[in-house]
Amino acid sequence: MKILIAEDEPAFRRLLTDVLIKWGYEVVVTKDGAEAWHILNSDDAPKLAILDWMMPGIDGPELCRRIRRRAHGVYTYVMLLTSQQGDKDLVTGMEAGADDYLTKPFRVSELRVRLRTGRRIIDLQNELIAAREFFQEKAARDSLTRLWNHEEILSILSHEMARAEREGKCLGAIMADLDHFKRINDRYGHLAGDSVLRVAAEKMLTQVRAYDSIGRYGGEEFLVILPDCGRQCAMAFAERIRQRISEKEFNTSEGMIPVTMSLGVAVSCREQRLNATDLVKAADKALYAAKGGGRNRVEVAEGG
């Protein structure tokens, strides 16, 4: 684990560094509060910090206050080193945001025990962050296909629309629908239908780029968002998806099932800039044209 030392006295700084390296820490050494503040705001900043109370530039308590005022959620465990012995001074340090303190001179064994406490708190925070990210991701995903859900894919669309307009680029959208899906459910059962939806999602994901997005728009209908993709690009992606879906029967618990897909394409570019709602409507209208034209085909919105 990486740990920051902010200590202006050279001999004490060397002693502290040697002890921490011996215990297996990766040590980042600073000589004053300003340098420490800069490092703590850098990428991959240490999550454990040992700060001297009295330092040039920014002292330990003030550095604690700045750390706690930061808006981002990464927690830094802070230990103050001080020669102050009075209760009032120690209260001041803790109220500034320090997690712990150690008075100089200190026993090495005591420092080691207190750092273990800090490491446990940092480890717990990492577990909580991982759990939070997991549940946020889960809430944004469709439970059956693991694609983005309806709300999230529309949120992504709005974000990509704003970026495309800002950068003067095109944005393609595909509305895709499995053909005769009700017949699949009626003939093979809903478990087989669920399996078809999962396999379709997997096949679609193999045909798009890492920065494209696919969401389950509703039922057996999907919305594909293609950043920096004009008319020909979006048509090519739609055709690749159509071929991938129909090339082989789907292997399900109820046996092999033939599946096809109809797709509607729409594009927003500088020549015809659409808002998110109109882009979805245009793609949906093209999808219905594909359905009306015999299914298992790609249609493109007028002008798009």
Side-chain angles (χ1 to χ4, degrees):
M1 179 177 285
K2 189 182 295 186
I3 188 167
L4 173 79
I5 297 173
E7 169 61 60
D8 64 324
E9 203 283 308
F12 194 82
R13 189 168 61 241
R14 283 195 301 270
L15 171 64
L16 199 52
T17 300
D18 290 344
V19 168
L20 292 173
I21 290 175
K22 181 180 178 181
W23 292 341
Y25 289 96
E26 179 185 348
V27 182
V28 180
V29 181
T30 61
K31 301 176 182 178
D32 59 59
E35 186 181 2
W37 177 238
H38 175 74
I39 291 174
L40 288 170
N41 283 288
S42 64
D43 294 336
D44 194 30
K47 295 181 181 178
L48 276 171
I50 299 176
L51 311 177
D52 192 19
W53 185 295
M54 300 297 297
M55 290 187 293
I58 307 173
D59 64 22
E62 175 57 26
L63 195 51
C64 286
R65 295 185 189 97
R66 294 190 182 190
I67 292 170
R68 299 303 176 226
R69 284 198 297 263
R70 290 185 304 192
H72 64 69
V74 177
Y75 193 81
T76 304
Y77 187 91
V78 178
M79 181 182 297
L80 277 177
L81 289 175
T82 176
S83 57
Q84 309 288 337
Q85 299 291 335
D87 290 343
K88 182 179 179 181
D89 295 319
L90 296 179
V91 169
T92 298
M94 301 303 284
E95 288 182 344
D99 295 284
D100 204 350
Y101 69 91
L102 209 56
T103 56
K104 300 180 183 178
F106 61 82
R107 294 192 302 273
V108 171
S109 59
E110 185 179 3
L111 173 63
R112 191 168 194 173
V113 169
R114 290 176 184 247
L115 285 176
R116 284 177 182 168
T117 300
R119 291 189 64 160
R120 283 198 296 269
I121 290 175
I122 294 299
D123 289 343
L124 177 60
Q125 187 211 28
N126 291 338
E127 291 174 8
L128 291 172
I129 290 173
R132 181 186 65 190
E133 291 175 350
F134 170 79
F135 284 112
Q136 286 176 340
E137 172 82 0
K138 188 174 182 180
R141 295 284 182 178
D142 173 62
S143 60
L144 178 63
T145 64
R146 303 311 302 157
L147 298 176
W148 299 117
N149 62 27
H150 180 89
E151 292 76 14
E152 190 65 22
I153 195 64
L154 289 181
S155 175
I156 293 171
L157 174 61
S158 296
H159 172 78
E160 292 295 346
M161 288 290 293
R163 189 165 70 89
E165 185 170 1
R166 185 171 63 250
E167 298 177 1
K169 295 181 178 180
C170 293
L171 180 69
I174 301 171
M175 192 68 79
D177 188 87
L178 294 173
D179 295 327
H180 300 301
F181 185 70
K182 185 177 184 300
R183 293 183 188 177
I184 294 174
N185 278 329
D186 292 344
R187 180 176 179 180
Y188 299 97
H190 288 280
L191 289 179
D194 288 348
S195 182
V196 165
L197 288 170
R198 283 192 294 266
V199 174
E202 293 167 4
K203 286 177 176 286
M204 293 173 70
L205 286 170
T206 66
Q207 302 305 305
V208 296
R209 303 163 297 184
Y211 51 87
D212 297 328
S213 301
I214 305 178
R216 186 179 178 192
Y217 194 73
E220 67 275 18
E221 198 169 27
F222 304 90
L223 176 60
V224 185
I225 300 171
L226 304 167
D228 195 15
C229 193
R231 177 188 173 95
Q232 295 301 319
C233 170
M235 287 174 59
F237 272 113
E239 181 58 25
R240 282 167 51 185
I241 291 171
R242 187 199 66 77
Q243 291 179 7
R244 185 75 174 91
I245 293 294
S246 62
E247 64 184 357
K248 291 181 181 180
E249 294 184 343
F250 284 23
N251 188 5
T252 75
S253 59
E254 301 302 317
M256 306 300 290
I257 300 177
V259 180
T260 62
M261 175 176 274
S262 300
L263 304 98
V265 173
V267 175
S268 174
C269 285
R270 280 182 291 184
E271 300 79 15
Q272 186 181 13
R273 187 67 70 186
L274 304 176
N275 60 37
T277 300
D278 289 339
L279 184 65
V280 171
K281 285 182 178 179
D284 199 45
K285 186 176 180 180
L287 168 62
Y288 276 93
K291 293 281 189 181
R295 293 182 170 83
N296 190 24
R297 58 187 291 137
V298 174
E299 292 286 347
V300 183
E302 295 180 8

